[in-house]
Amino acid sequence: MPLRGKTTDLKKRMRDALKGGGSKAIEKQKAIGKMTARERIISLLDPKTFNEYDLFAVHAGKDFDMDKKYLPGDGVITGTGKLSGYPVCIYAQDFTVAGGSLGWMHAKKILKIMDHAMKLKIPLIGINDSGGARIQEGVNSLAGYGEIFYRNTQASGVIPQISVILGPCAGGAVYSPALTDFVFVVDKITKMFITGPEVIKTVLGEEISMEELGGAKVHAEITGNAHFYSTSEEECFDQVKKLISYIPWNNQKKADPLPKKSPKRFYKIDGIIPIDPKQPYDVRNIIKAVSDDSDFFEVQELFAANIVIGFARFDGQTIGIVANQPLVLAGVLDVDSSNKAARFIRYCDAFNIPLVTFVDLPGYLPGVDQEHAGVIRHGAKLLYAYSEATVPKITVILRKAYGGGYIAMCSHHLKADFVFAWPTAEIAVMGPEGAANIIFRNEIKDAKDPEDVRKKKIEEYKEKFANPYVAAAYGYVDAVITPNETRRMVIHALEISSNKQEQPPFKKHGIPPF
Ligand code: HXC
């Protein structure tokens, strides 16, 4: 065939492949507010940067008349492109083709692009929209998942892995996103579960909708499986672009800096903490008052809101922020908040992102529920993550730092590089009321006016311990600073820690309290 004929043949083959599952399936997809897989890639990546591979892959199914079926691209689109200028590897499952189900060739395409991402040391983005293992291909589909999970694990901490769940993500398919770094979900579109409503009805006799079982809100608020929640695919893609701008391409690099910017004048750091130490306030206002352009990109905003995590910039450099949130449960540490913060600390440490911690908490949450839910094991994750992290670690104690909470929130004892405290800081084994009731129990009981003595003893304890100066006297606090000095001191500490190198003792790996 002369070249012209060959070109015509190529164009025809491409046209057929690009039709996906056909107009009826595409209409069904659109009717529920979903873009097609190819539209998603085009709308997420920088214009005209996407190059697709393996468009002509042929599925491997032979049983149940599958050998008679044409499944364009075997239900998944793979390729490379640029996202906010970053090179990325990407795949998007095409639900219009056999429900985006994962057969062996579908899996092989994903494996190939994952291998590229690892070899080229660039981020991997997976857009999931699939009915799960392709039932007709049996064990080969399961093999495909297993190979994906293995690669997700190998890539963990080497390249950023981002999962965007834009449709069903059912059965074993959920474990690939769960092994990646960040999971994005969209209201009414994401449906993520191990066993669907029909199985639950058959086995347990319970009726539940897909939305209630594993919708976006469920994963953003309750399970903690999701890191970013949005109400449309467009908003979700904006979030992905923003995240990419904060993180490095791989674990050998630092995140690209932006030009320095001062915080917005709107955020006045002086007046944020209330005079009454029992009153709550929103710690995000403190973060915004000290960050470049007051820009704080919060991660897992709706889950375990008693701790706040996310990215900000100081003098243009990306920083990971961890802060107790006095607005929710007084900022206590519990099972979920410990898990949330510990994982984020490990992410930042793996990708060379320094950590700034803001402390204001009464300690770990007491109670039978928490004890039985494993607050010892989960709380230990936070100690482990901070102790293990070798990136620069700067801590600012704003107000309460009681008990185990003081130690856990990146104290000097877990090898923070610098610990600063505001004059409002109270660093003690426990709150003054509880402490006075225990250590002066007999004096209070035997007094003529127990209430009066209790008050005096509380004041006595406050004066002695509920301030930053005892800790400062021992060198556990490096400097007591005014709120207005915070940004300057943190920036200076980050600057002089920028060449920090710490070698952990030789080991294959540690055994964190998983
Ligand atoms: C083969 C599948 C499929 C699958 C969907 N399809 N899921 N084909 N294998 N797993 C096909 C449908 O037959 C249909 O084909 C087309 O995709 C669209 O599906 P619909 O059911 O019409 O779509 P919808 O009503 O939107 O429902 C979507 C759905 C439902 C909720 C995802 O399809 C569903 O429940 N699928 C099964 C989900 C599941 O149980 N997966 C787990 C598999 S086991 P036609 O030709 O009619 O258009 C698993 C274990 C892996 O994943 C373990 C690894 C460790």
Side-chain angles (χ1 to χ4, degrees):
M1 208 188 297
L3 179 61
R4 224 169 113 198
K6 291 207 171 187
T7 309
T8 312
D9 178 48
L10 169 66
K11 282 189 179 156
K12 183 185 171 314
R13 283 170 186 264
M14 283 185 73
R15 255 197 321 273
D16 288 347
L18 293 173
K19 276 184 194 150
S23 51
K24 221 168 131 198
I26 291 174
E27 264 169 41
K28 196 174 158 195
Q29 177 95 342
K30 300 253 180 195
I32 46 174
K34 288 162 70 174
M35 297 185 203
T36 65
R38 204 162 269 106
E39 282 169 353
R40 284 168 173 165
I41 292 180
I42 301 296
S43 116
L44 174 62
L45 297 186
D46 298 347
K48 298 194 172 136
T49 62
F50 178 57
N51 284 310
E52 183 171 349
Y53 314 119
D54 295 330
L55 177 64
F56 301 128
V58 176
H59 73 84
K62 293 188 177 58
D63 302 320
F64 305 104
D65 283 341
M66 285 299 281
D67 47 349
K68 299 190 185 81
K69 284 194 180 162
Y70 170 53
L71 303 181
D74 202 7
V76 64
I77 297 165
T78 59
T80 51
K82 287 198 170 179
L83 183 51
S84 305
Y86 272 39
V88 294
C89 284
I90 189 164
Y91 71 87
Q93 294 178 307
D94 185 349
F95 193 82
T96 68
V97 178
S101 57
L102 184 134
W104 177 238
M105 191 49 73
H106 178 121
K108 263 184 87 174
K109 285 180 69 173
I110 295 177
L111 301 177
K112 194 167 158 189
I113 207 69
M114 291 178 90
D115 289 342
H116 269 314
M118 267 298 263
K119 204 166 47 191
L120 308 175
K121 298 280 178 290
I122 58 177
L124 173 75
I125 298 168
I127 302 180
N128 295 255
D129 186 3
S130 164
R134 187 171 299 152
I135 295 161
Q136 299 91 327
E137 288 195 34
V139 71
N140 273 333
S141 310
L142 301 183
Y145 275 122
E147 297 281 339
I148 291 173
F149 302 159
Y150 175 81
R151 281 166 180 76
N152 282 137
T153 308
Q154 294 300 310
S156 180
V158 181
I159 52 167
Q161 298 184 84
I162 292 170
S163 297
V164 187
I165 317 295
L166 296 181
C169 183
V174 295
Y175 285 112
S176 175
L179 289 166
T180 63
D181 305 328
F182 296 103
V183 176
F184 291 73
V185 292
V186 177
D187 192 37
K188 298 191 179 65
I189 290 178
T190 301
K191 288 163 182 56
M192 203 178 175
F193 42 76
I194 302 255
T195 46
E198 279 176 32
V199 178
I200 291 180
K201 196 173 166 195
T202 313
V203 178
L204 303 171
E206 289 169 13
E207 296 242 14
I208 188 160
S209 69
M210 271 201 245
E211 195 65 34
E212 288 171 301
L213 179 65
K217 267 261 165 79
V218 169
H219 291 301
E221 284 179 4
I222 302 171
T223 67
N225 287 332
H227 300 86
F228 296 96
Y229 167 87
S230 58
T231 53
S232 69
E233 296 194 8
E234 290 82 358
E235 191 192 343
C236 170
F237 293 157
D238 285 344
Q239 290 174 340
V240 176
K241 283 177 210 171
K242 187 151 183 181
L243 173 67
I244 278 283
S245 76
Y246 276 105
I247 59 179
W249 298 11
N250 61 50
N251 65 351
Q252 304 293 309
K253 285 186 178 283
K254 286 192 173 180
D256 290 344
L258 283 189
K260 305 169 186 184
K261 270 190 172 174
S262 298
K264 292 196 168 101
R265 285 199 189 155
F266 174 81
Y267 295 97
K268 302 253 182 299
I269 198 160
D270 254 345
I272 298 172
I273 290 199
I275 293 164
D276 177 355
K278 288 198 177 117
Q279 286 299 310
Y281 60 93
D282 191 342
V283 76
R284 288 174 294 199
N285 289 331
I286 290 182
I287 299 166
K288 288 177 186 173
V290 293
S291 313
D292 284 18
D293 205 25
S294 302
D295 192 12
F296 176 52
F297 188 45
E298 195 168 346
V299 177
Q300 287 187 303
E301 183 181 346
L302 304 174
F303 175 68
N306 40 327
I307 205 151
V308 167
I309 57 171
F311 298 106
R313 288 191 180 87
F314 283 84
D315 256 4
Q317 308 284 343
T318 294
I319 303 298
I321 304 277
V322 180
N324 307 118
Q325 174 57 293
L327 214 51
V328 181
L329 293 171
V332 284
L333 284 172
D334 56 7
V335 167
D336 285 346
S337 60
S338 301
N339 271 315
K340 172 177 164 179
R343 193 173 185 277
F344 182 70
I345 292 161
R346 294 196 98 203
Y347 179 84
C348 291
D349 188 45
F351 287 97
N352 313 312
I353 298 173
L355 288 159
V356 174
T357 302
F358 294 98
V359 185
D360 187 351
L361 83 165
Y364 280 94
L365 181 62
V368 179
D369 285 354
Q370 282 293 305
E371 297 287 350
H372 288 190
V375 70
I376 298 175
R377 181 163 60 88
H378 295 289
K381 291 178 188 172
L382 191 58
L383 302 169
Y384 196 105
Y386 268 131
S387 301
E388 185 191 40
T390 57
V391 288
K393 297 184 284 195
I394 319 297
T395 302
V396 184
I397 303 175
L398 306 172
R399 198 167 62 170
K400 295 171 198 139
Y402 294 160
Y406 154 71
I407 304 169
M409 292 301 293
C410 206
S411 59
H412 254 308
H413 322 294
L414 306 188
K415 302 295 167 271
D417 296 294
F418 293 96
V419 176
F420 305 127
W422 286 9
T424 43
E426 300 176 13
I427 304 165
V429 173
M430 61 172 72
E433 284 83 0
N437 281 341
I438 293 171
I439 57 178
F440 304 117
R441 184 189 300 152
N442 290 336
E443 276 175 72
I444 294 170
K445 186 162 62 91
D446 299 339
K448 271 194 196 141
D449 185 346
E451 251 337 283
D452 185 53
V453 174
R454 188 195 317 275
K455 273 188 197 147
K456 281 191 183 132
K457 292 295 176 191
I458 289 171
E459 278 314 308
E460 207 178 293
Y461 185 87
K462 261 191 200 167
E463 226 160 89
K464 180 92 183 113
F465 289 117
N467 61 63
Y469 302 107
V470 180
Y474 286 111
Y476 302 147
V477 162
D478 298 300
V480 181
I481 59 171
T482 64
N484 277 313
E485 287 171 306
T486 307
R487 179 171 154 88
R488 185 181 65 75
M489 290 295 277
V490 170
I491 287 176
H492 177 73
L494 288 167
E495 203 180 334
I496 59 162
S497 315
S498 62
N499 282 324
K500 180 182 174 187
Q501 289 192 345
E502 219 174 84
Q503 287 304 325
F506 170 77
K507 53 177 131 175
K508 187 173 171 192
H509 54 67
I511 302 140
F514 270 175

